[in-house]
Amino acid sequence: MEKIGIFGGTFNPPHVGHLNIARTFAAEYGLDRVLIIPTYVPPHKASPGLAPAAARVEMCRRTFTDPVFEVSTIEIDRKGKSYTYDTLRQLKGMYRCAKFYFLCGDDMLMSLHRWFRPEGILKYCTVVASVRSDKLDLSDLEAYAKEFFPAKYRCGRIKFMPIKPLELSSTEIRTKIKNGESVEGLVTKDTFDFITSEGLYL
Ligand code: ATP
């Protein structure tokens, strides 16, 4: 059975922290492919300085270049609010025999109870959560899962992936660019070239 990973985000812009966690995810779970899904309109947070969808897709293509990655425009093509539940239902229809793993950082996991149909999400896929800084560890994530989704936690629908986090956010990158600081090394070389040539986030 094909094992498909899903990694969604605003990716405004995608950075090496994203790449680090996605690579670990693919290797740890032996995934056949990882779909990288840029969000059309983020339902969980306000997005100041959001680059156009086409630019975020292009930056994802320039960041996630390993053969296991595939950039999907499923949410951008659907338009409107990008609910993970809708995306998973659509993917289930497209890949009938696949097993799905959904990757998220600590901030995303710990708001799962406020997402649209979280129990439905956990029916469609296994959520794989990881920390994105040293401020939290996996036991904090486990405590959250036990409290909010005890039954799904017990049957292993929420998993915890150890990584050495690269503490970095897209916000930090946008701020640096606005302040005239270099972001070389925080995004891939090809993404850096695109940001520079398009004059993004100035
Ligand atoms: P912003 O600063 O604009 O809020 P972000 O850096 O949080 O952006 P998103 O595109 O919102 O990036 O994140 C997509 C997914 O990647 C989320 O699940 C998030 O938790 C995870 N993520 C973001 N940065 C890291 C990181 N440095 N390490 C691990 N996971 C990360």
Side-chain angles (χ1 to χ4, degrees), residues 189-202:
K189 165 84 172 69
D190 273 1
T191 303
F192 178 81
D193 290 346
F194 183 78
I195 291 174
T196 309
S197 70
E198 297 293 306
L200 295 178
Y201 310 119
L202 288 172

Side-chain angles (χ1 to χ4, degrees), residues 7-13 15-18 20-21 45 103-108 130-133 163 165-172 174:
F7 187 35
T10 318
F11 299 127
N12 185 41
H15 50 68
V16 296
H18 293 131
N20 175 49
I21 192 176
K45 55 182 177 182
L103 175 64
C104 61
D106 48 40
D107 51 327
M108 295 301 277
S130 199
V131 294
R132 45 183 295 185
S133 78
I163 56 164
L166 278 180
E167 200 165 342
L168 181 60
S169 70
S170 300
T171 304
E172 191 182 323
R174 295 194 301 275

Side-chain angles (χ1 to χ4, degrees), residues 173-183 201-202:
I173 291 171
R174 295 194 301 275
T175 305
K176 277 189 190 292
I177 294 172
K178 260 210 169 59
N179 295 339
E181 293 168 47
S182 173
V183 296
Y201 310 119
L202 288 172

